[in-house]
Amino acid sequence: MARGDIYEATAGESTDLYYVDTELYGVAEYGGAYIIDDDRPAIVDTGMGRNYELILDALAELEIAPEDLAVIAPTHVHLDHAGGAGYLTEACPNADVCCYEAGARFLIDPTGLWEGTKAAVGDQIDYYAEPKPIPDDRIVELADGDRVDLGTHALETHHAPGHAFHQAVFYDPANDGVFTADAAGLYVEGMDQVHPTSPPSDFDLEECLADVEMLKDLSPSALYFGHFGDHPTGDLLDEYAAVLTEWVDRIATKRAELEDDDAVIEYFADNATGADVWGEWKAREEAELNVKGVLAYLDDREQ
């Protein structure tokens, strides 16, 4: 795939579902938005704002007019998932913005979210656009268990706070698939394993493992990853639980050895994996961000 490409998601029993490559950080397939083509068309996740026009182009390719879009559903308010929500809200005047209730205030007034993102991602901020506020009358706050009906398809809301307290995953019974946000990590064809995602400031290992168990209880046939598209579930959830636990253990061990957090961050950046997928610079940035999240979690656990 390449920037702006759209393909049909077919993992498991999936129908009427499309993935748009919004090419986050200049990496093919890294970030995407899903489009559900139904009686009430929906977008799940929106990219980072700078490239929201690619999603509008995909809607046009699917012959969905902007005024016919019914739902914009960010899984959580991290800006690689929700940064385009305000832009799409302006372009799609009849769409409700459906998000987990804890994230709604950050979409209505994204000022603090923008400042926090700049502090967290460092030089990567050049790939973002400052998010646009969304009028509160366009927001539909979802609680755990709420359902957004689209016609044949639906989005059933399941709170998944391990990655971020404002994160939810959406299960579509018709497709027997889950939009996993970051609750199941990152999976890329050709990599040896699921890749952990543990950014600051909300990462919590125990809650992440509980989220994985929740996903397993749903028993979906397909996982719609927030990054790199759809895949059959297989053993990926068990694999992610093991990978994430090992990741935290490795960082804790290295911290005890080096006794210097900056040195720990540098060590994992120097030994980052995934450079063949997203390039050396992004691999380092990804490692640094994820290590910082684990270190903050370890600090909280000690208190």
Side-chain angles (χ1 to χ4, degrees):
M1 290 186 71
R3 175 184 172 87
D5 283 355
I6 177 173
Y7 78 89
E8 187 172 5
T10 58
E13 304 170 14
S14 304
T15 60
D16 306 319
L17 180 63
Y18 301 86
Y19 181 83
V20 186
D21 182 5
T22 62
E23 198 184 64
L24 304 190
Y25 309 109
V27 178
E29 300 184 53
Y30 184 93
Y34 289 93
I35 299 173
I36 305 170
D37 188 2
D38 207 339
D39 297 338
R40 301 182 68 239
I43 294 171
V44 178
D45 282 339
T46 68
M48 294 193 296
R50 190 175 294 279
N51 43 19
Y52 76 97
E53 295 96 340
L54 299 176
I55 301 172
L56 295 175
D57 291 343
L59 289 175
E61 186 174 337
L62 294 171
E63 300 182 346
I64 300 171
E67 60 269 21
D68 291 335
L69 187 74
V71 172
I72 299 166
T75 54
H76 58 304
V77 301
H78 286 164
L79 291 182
D80 54 335
H81 294 259
Y87 296 86
L88 291 170
T89 302
E90 288 187 351
C92 303
N94 298 314
D96 292 329
V97 179
C98 301
C99 66
Y100 186 68
E101 55 193 356
R105 60 190 174 95
F106 299 103
L107 298 180
I108 295 167
D109 179 6
T111 305
L113 179 64
W114 179 238
E115 294 303 317
T117 301
K118 288 192 289 186
V121 304
D123 291 342
Q124 295 185 84
I125 200 65
D126 291 341
Y127 289 94
Y128 293 73
E130 184 171 355
K132 290 191 173 186
I134 298 172
D136 58 4
D137 62 357
R138 299 286 300 276
I139 300 281
V140 176
E141 296 189 23
L142 302 174
D144 190 73
D146 282 352
R147 175 185 173 104
V148 181
D149 286 314
L150 305 175
T152 302
H153 301 274
L155 301 175
E156 295 182 352
T157 307
H158 298 269
H159 190 206
H163 176 79
F165 70 92
H166 44 77
Q167 178 180 254
V169 302
F170 298 122
Y171 174 65
D172 177 7
N175 274 348
D176 191 28
V178 180
F179 298 92
T180 61
D182 287 317
L186 285 69
Y187 181 74
V188 188
E189 293 284 359
M191 290 183 72
D192 291 338
Q193 61 186 23
V194 185
H195 192 81
T197 176
S198 56
S201 58
D202 302 318
F203 170 75
D204 183 285
L205 176 61
E206 286 73 27
E207 288 191 339
C208 281
L209 296 177
D211 293 343
V212 172
E213 289 302 311
M214 176 267 291
L215 290 169
K216 289 168 64 177
D217 287 344
L218 292 172
S219 192
S221 61
L223 302 176
Y224 309 134
F225 286 90
H227 305 284
F228 298 105
D230 63 307
H231 296 278
T233 302
D235 296 327
L236 288 176
L237 294 174
D238 285 330
E239 182 180 333
Y240 185 56
V243 164
L244 193 60
T245 301
E246 180 187 7
W247 170 242
V248 172
D249 287 346
R250 287 174 57 205
I251 294 170
T253 300
K254 186 58 66 173
R255 179 188 239 187
E257 173 190 331
L258 297 179
E259 298 182 340
D260 182 307
D261 282 358
D262 289 339
V264 173
I265 295 167
E266 186 71 16
Y267 170 83
F268 283 97
D270 288 343
N271 292 278
T273 60
D276 55 332
V277 173
W278 43 50
E280 183 176 347
W281 175 82
K282 176 55 181 169
R284 287 187 62 89
E285 294 287 332
E286 190 87 1
E288 289 182 8
L289 189 66
N290 285 330
V291 171
K292 288 176 182 177
V294 173
L295 292 173
Y297 156 76
L298 293 173
D299 288 340
D300 289 342
R301 192 173 67 176
E302 291 173 1
Q303 292 177 2

